[in-house]
Amino acid sequence: MMLVLSGLIILAALLGAPLFIVILAAAMLGFYSADIPLEVISIELYRLVNTPLLVALPLFTFSGYLLAESNTSARLVKITQVFLGWLPSGLAIVAFVTCAFFTAFTGASGVTIVALGALLYPALVQAGYGEKFSLGLVTTSGSLGLLLAPSVPLILYGVIVQQMDMDNPFQLGELFIAGVLPALLMIVLLTLYTLWATRHQDIFHGRFSRTEAVEALSDAKWEIPLPFIVLGGIYSGYFAVSEAAAVTALYVLIVEVVLNREVPVKALARIIRESTVMVGGILLILGVALAFTNFLIDQEIPQYLFAWIQTWVTGKVTFLILLNIILLVLGAILDIFSALVIMIPLIVPIAMGYGIDPIHLGIIFLANMQIGYFTPPVGMNLFIASYRFDRTITELYVATLPFMLVLLIALLLITYVPEISLVLLDR
């Protein structure tokens, strides 16, 4: 009977049943087979809802949706172009920095490509960059920023790990700090590759203009304080993460609706609904996934997996190689939120068995997911960029491949040099 029910769950998953239904069915079947009352699932959902840190998710998501609806993207491009555009390959650096900042707040790289692509792609081509190079640059940059606060996937990883009652807990602020240098490393390596790849091309470089700088600062006067409010408040200890999320949401709401008047009041209901639906889907999957995680822990499945893996993988380095391969594949076929709630409960105990710090593991995980967004054959950014720029998917494969190789080098450094993630922390 159990084999038949397990087969039906697998069949439902293959036929495209919603992910939360598949995970919930697996959890119910597991608890039933272990003679554990199914009420524990509702208890797990209540425990999740009662987590104070979880308040940050809907508030930061709402802020990101508001920013995406406004002309913030255009102002970001303008201000970064004024201050960075005069550098060698300055416009490429503008693309990297702007996309990273925008993705950190919106948490969705597809939104970044849609919002910034119309501005950056034609500007890059006009400046002298090749069309294929520009296409690959914009598509790749769409996922930069997942390692930077207040990225929703970064917060979600922290929530999941903290719900697992580990012996080596960490604060979410530590995770935010840990992502800074790895994200900077990726931007620097992409910039160096751009300088090398365009060394024989006649690329237009802008000139710094004090007048344009003053104008750009004036236009973005309300957006400039935002990262200082969020990050400064968290890192100084003045705000808890949930409090910083509330302040951010209120600040963005006032700026975009009242001061800039770029988001009409009548659009707020739609924006709230869209952001809430997204967060609701994440929380529903997360709740049933944590219930299933409890079953796995009760049955000591991670310990069995660790013992089995140890028979084939004897060292930490070999495990990390295997982990990167698995995560790159998952990143190409699953959205980042599904990958987080499914894999983190299984991976974290095993990784800690090999002596891997959970903060370092989180940075490795999200760095893999970031690359998975444009990993062939089904990386989400490839299809979004194909639709946005009216190019075939094979053109996107070719265009993004060099950038992917550069980021894979960054991934190797992040994976095997944990100090890149942990040097700023006292761990």
Side-chain angles (χ1 to χ4, degrees):
M1 183 64 167
M2 300 301 294
L3 288 175
V4 171
L5 291 175
S6 299
L8 289 175
I9 293 174
I10 295 173
L11 179 62
L14 294 175
L15 292 176
L19 182 62
F20 81 92
I21 291 179
V22 175
I23 298 175
L24 178 61
M28 293 176 68
L29 182 60
F31 285 125
Y32 178 76
S33 65
D35 292 325
I36 298 174
L38 298 183
E39 287 84 352
V40 298
I41 297 177
S42 58
I43 294 172
E44 189 63 40
L45 287 170
Y46 175 77
R47 184 166 73 93
L48 176 66
V49 171
N50 204 34
T51 303
L53 185 59
L54 210 62
V55 177
L57 280 177
L59 291 172
F60 276 131
T61 303
F62 172 66
S63 303
Y65 270 69
L66 275 176
L67 291 172
E69 286 282 330
S70 67
N71 292 325
T72 298
S73 57
R75 287 189 289 273
L76 283 176
V77 171
K78 182 177 179 180
I79 195 169
T80 50
Q81 189 165 2
V82 167
F83 287 97
L84 301 175
W86 57 272
L87 296 168
S89 297
L91 190 56
I93 300 174
V94 168
F96 297 139
V97 173
T98 306
C99 289
F101 180 86
F102 200 71
T103 300
F105 275 90
T106 60
S109 61
V111 175
T112 301
I113 292 176
V114 172
L116 295 177
L119 301 171
L120 293 173
Y121 177 68
L124 288 165
V125 174
Q126 186 177 2
Y129 296 92
E131 289 192 12
K132 185 175 74 173
F133 182 89
S134 303
L135 193 63
L137 188 151
V138 174
T139 304
T140 305
S141 301
S143 57
L144 289 176
L146 289 180
L147 296 176
L148 296 174
S151 165
V152 171
L154 201 62
I155 297 172
L156 187 59
Y157 174 83
V159 170
I160 295 172
V161 175
Q162 289 184 2
Q163 290 290 312
M164 295 174 63
D165 297 324
M166 299 185 313
D167 295 330
N168 189 20
F170 60 84
Q171 300 297 319
L172 192 58
E174 293 181 290
L175 193 61
F176 287 173
I177 296 172
V180 173
L181 290 184
L184 184 61
L185 173 66
M186 290 184 168
I187 294 174
V188 169
L189 290 183
L190 287 171
T191 301
L192 293 176
Y193 166 71
T194 301
L195 288 169
W196 179 83
T198 60
R199 64 193 184 281
H200 299 309
Q201 294 178 238
D202 184 19
I203 304 296
F204 172 77
H205 303 298
R207 293 182 178 180
F208 179 78
S209 168
R210 183 177 298 180
T211 303
E212 291 180 358
V214 171
E215 182 182 347
L217 289 172
S218 177
D219 290 344
K221 60 182 178 294
W222 299 116
E223 280 87 1
I224 291 172
L226 186 56
F228 297 100
I229 293 174
V230 179
L231 303 181
I234 293 173
Y235 296 152
S236 67
Y238 192 77
F239 292 143
V241 173
S242 56
E243 293 169 338
V247 172
T248 300
L250 179 61
Y251 182 83
V252 172
L253 180 67
I254 293 173
V255 168
E256 305 303 345
V257 176
V258 180
L259 300 177
N260 289 337
R261 297 183 181 180
E262 292 175 348
V263 178
V265 175
K266 62 181 180 182
L268 285 178
R270 173 182 57 81
I271 295 171
I272 293 172
R273 181 176 66 251
E274 291 175 354
S275 63
T276 304
V277 167
M278 177 183 173
V279 174
I282 295 172
L283 295 184
L284 187 57
I285 295 173
L286 179 59
V288 296
L290 289 178
F292 187 57
T293 299
N294 273 351
F295 165 72
L296 296 178
I297 293 173
D298 288 341
Q299 300 302 307
E300 299 183 345
I301 300 299
Q303 291 88 329
Y304 289 130
L305 278 175
F306 178 61
W308 179 77
I309 290 174
Q310 276 192 315
T311 61
W312 303 95
V313 180
T314 56
K316 176 179 176 180
V317 173
T318 309
F319 170 76
L320 287 172
I321 293 172
L322 179 63
L323 177 65
N324 278 327
I325 293 172
I326 293 172
L327 291 180
L328 285 172
V329 173
L330 284 176
I333 62 177
L334 283 178
D335 69 89
I336 190 169
F337 302 112
S338 300
L340 278 166
V341 298
I342 292 172
M343 296 303 299
I344 289 303
L346 290 174
I347 290 176
V348 169
I350 297 173
M352 291 183 67
Y354 282 97
I356 300 170
D357 189 284
I359 291 182
H360 182 214
L361 178 66
I363 301 303
I364 294 172
F365 192 100
L366 292 176
N368 274 280
M369 294 295 106
Q370 178 176 309
I371 297 173
Y373 267 114
F374 51 88
T375 299
V378 290
M380 184 180 70
N381 277 11
L382 297 172
F383 292 93
I384 294 174
S386 175
Y387 174 79
R388 180 65 184 83
F389 303 117
D390 194 23
R391 295 290 193 274
T392 64
I393 195 68
T394 53
E395 288 183 85
L396 269 300
Y397 290 165
V398 175
T400 56
L401 184 58
F403 296 93
M404 180 181 177
L405 295 176
V406 173
L407 288 180
L408 285 175
I409 294 173
L411 176 62
L412 291 175
L413 291 172
I414 291 168
T415 301
Y416 300 108
V417 186
E419 289 77 14
I420 296 175
S421 303
L422 304 177
V423 70
L424 298 179
L425 303 174
D426 185 20
R427 290 181 69 87

